[in-house]
Amino acid sequence: MTHSTSLPVVVITGASAGIGAAAARRFARGGYRVALAARRRERLEALAAELHNLGAEALVLPTDVSDPAQVARLADAVLQTWGYVDVLINNAGLGRFARLEALDPVDDIQRQIQVNLTGAIWVTRAFLPAMRARKRGVIINVSSVAGWVGLPLYTVYSATKFGLRGFTEALRREVARDGIRVVGLYPGPVTTEFGQQAFKDPADRPRAASWPGVALRAEDVADALWDLAHHPRRGVVQPWWMAPLVWLNAHLNRLGDWILSRTMLRSS
Ligand code: NJP
């Protein structure tokens, strides 16, 4: 069933908190119908009520992106309700930061890979045919600066975010002639629940992440997502001043090794 009015539709994974919730508010204010996907139903329902008060349509779709059956149900529900999707934001993710041997093989390692990387791939695959049929759509993958720069304690997280960047680059070329744009967003630290939960030992949290001017607000990232949805380009590192650091890391690798191995780890 397709509704007669064709308001644009955005699907946001990880919409129950942080960046995803801020993006949902941003797109609702901008006149979008918003499909909210994450595991915590109560949070999604509270957010949907808020979006309805803004005059927006919102769908609550409890989904674990690491379960392919739930991902298929998510796509079916959106497409049966609204019939199409304009923007897909693959934002669901988690970090588990510690020395590799302190990470649990399943709860920390496998879960990060399944949510941050496999989940984003499955969700994209589920919505791609609908975008291809309309010859339009924007897919934005929320990676990280850690998808460019490998950081001590972030080994598996960096692997997932490098992987998501590789997926983004390859898919962009695969669908370029189908009218679909594939974009990467690479934020630095953002003040959300993510940072509170990510360090297995909170004493490992880098002090720099809380310096004034370093951490972004979820609303800053939501503004970048809005901008990328309407002016899609290859990718954006946020805040802008981290882009030269990414460049330096790629071109002066030994300096990057020296600095990061000394600044990110407490002496053990
Ligand atoms: O994190 P948080 P952010 N299936 O913890 C959802 C990246 N990033 O907003 O399922 C479906 O507030 C979870 O929902 P729920 C980061 O890697 C962050 O900061 O209900 N959803 C919640 O809505 C991630 O990709 C920083 O628990 C699942 C959301 O994910 C994205 O930004 C820096 C799920 C997490 O909300 C959003 O993170 C950076 C599952 N299996 C990149 N598991 C940063 N914050 O510093 C979790 O560079 N979610």
Side-chain angles (χ1 to χ4, degrees):
M1 170 184 64
T2 308
H3 284 235
S4 47
T5 52
S6 53
L7 294 174
V9 169
V10 62
V11 177
I12 303 172
T13 69
S16 62
I19 295 167
R25 295 185 184 99
R26 181 69 188 84
F27 280 76
R29 282 203 312 274
Y32 274 71
R33 293 172 165 150
V34 188
L36 305 168
R39 290 165 306 171
R40 287 170 290 178
R41 176 189 284 278
E42 327 73 60
R43 286 218 186 188
L44 296 180
E45 281 173 349
L47 179 59
E50 201 188 313
L51 303 188
H52 290 146
N53 287 337
L54 294 173
E57 291 176 50
L59 269 187
V60 169
L61 299 166
T63 308
D64 182 338
V65 298
S66 68
D67 176 345
Q70 294 189 39
V71 168
R73 279 205 294 277
L74 166 68
D76 286 350
V78 173
L79 297 171
Q80 276 172 24
T81 307
W82 290 324
Y84 55 91
V85 57
D86 295 282
V87 181
L88 167 63
I89 301 178
N90 282 310
N91 164 75
L94 71 143
R96 299 300 284 156
F97 305 151
R99 287 180 185 267
L100 183 59
E101 60 273 29
L103 293 178
D104 182 83
V106 176
D107 287 347
D108 298 327
I109 296 178
Q110 185 170 285
R111 195 154 67 94
Q112 285 186 89
I113 296 168
Q114 284 187 336
V115 176
N116 300 1
L117 181 57
T118 314
I121 294 170
W122 281 343
V123 173
T124 303
R125 182 181 174 279
F127 283 101
L128 207 50
M131 289 187 171
R132 214 189 280 281
R134 282 175 89 212
K135 290 217 161 286
R136 59 183 288 187
V138 180
I139 299 165
I140 310 177
N141 294 325
V142 180
S143 175
S144 172
V145 165
W148 290 95
V149 180
L151 298 170
L153 308 179
Y154 291 49
T155 48
V156 176
Y157 183 76
S158 270
T160 66
K161 296 298 187 179
F162 269 67
L164 189 55
R165 178 162 64 88
F167 173 67
T168 305
E169 296 283 304
L171 185 68
R172 178 178 46 251
R173 293 165 181 166
E174 185 170 306
V175 301
R177 293 165 68 190
D178 300 321
I180 302 168
R181 308 293 299 270
V182 187
V183 176
L185 179 60
Y186 305 97
V190 190
T191 43
T192 63
E193 292 162 28
F194 177 96
Q196 294 153 22
Q197 295 159 3
F199 286 91
K200 293 198 80 162
D201 180 348
D204 281 334
R205 190 154 202 261
R207 272 168 297 152
S210 51
W211 287 348
V214 171
L216 298 159
R217 297 168 314 135
E219 292 74 19
D220 301 327
V221 185
D223 287 342
L225 289 166
W226 174 266
D227 183 53
L228 284 168
H230 299 95
H231 306 285
R233 45 212 190 271
R234 174 172 291 222
V236 166
V237 173
Q238 195 188 17
W240 63 268
W241 56 263
M242 284 199 178
L245 302 182
V246 166
W247 189 92
L248 280 175
N249 176 70
H251 292 86
L252 300 173
N253 218 281
R254 286 169 68 178
L255 179 65
D257 287 352
W258 192 85
I259 293 172
L260 290 170
S261 60
R262 276 162 184 74
T263 55
M264 296 284 296
L265 295 172
R266 290 181 297 144
S267 43
S268 44

